[in-house]
Amino acid sequence: MQFSGIIIGLATFIIIGVFHPIVIKAEYYFGKKCWWAFLLTGAAFTLLSLYIDSFIWSTLAGVTAFSCFWSILELFEQEKRVAKGWFPSNPKKKS
């Protein structure tokens, strides 16, 4: 039996689930100006995935990389959701 597909699927589900609140908190505390942190983290995980020998770990590093890249888009979308009043804005954050 091959369990690698199940492991990768479950881990991908968890990774995507973890990034959702990270994007919300990042926008709340830093705004969209922190997009470059997601870009650099995504680039680092992309490079990491190229050098890991294990199929599962390499795949999970790639999933994490592209979750970071997707989070850049979501960061800008989150700002729009906050402007619409769907999420609270940080009163201490400078505009």
Side-chain angles (χ1 to χ4, degrees):
M1 282 191 164
Q2 281 288 341
F3 289 102
S4 58
I6 299 296
I7 293 168
I8 291 169
L10 178 62
T12 299
F13 181 73
I14 292 169
I15 290 167
I16 292 169
V18 165
F19 269 89
H20 180 70
I22 289 173
V23 168
I24 292 170
K25 294 293 184 183
E27 195 286 326
Y28 185 82
Y29 289 109
F30 305 111
K32 65 182 177 185
K33 65 185 175 186
C34 68
W35 69 268
W36 58 268
F38 288 102
L39 179 67
L40 292 176
T41 306
F45 272 100
T46 299
L47 290 174
L48 188 64
S49 73
L50 294 173
Y51 291 101
I52 296 176
D53 288 332
S54 168
F55 172 74
I56 292 175
W57 289 110
S58 176
T59 303
L60 293 179
V63 167
T64 303
F66 282 89
S67 293
C68 288
F69 296 145
W70 184 260
S71 294
I72 295 169
L73 174 67
E74 283 300 313
L75 194 60
F76 286 86
E77 292 296 320
Q78 180 65 16
E79 184 182 57
K80 292 176 187 175
R81 291 188 282 266
V82 169
K84 290 178 182 178
W86 296 353
F87 285 86
S89 63
N90 185 352
K92 296 178 184 179
K93 185 175 70 176
K94 296 178 183 176
S95 297

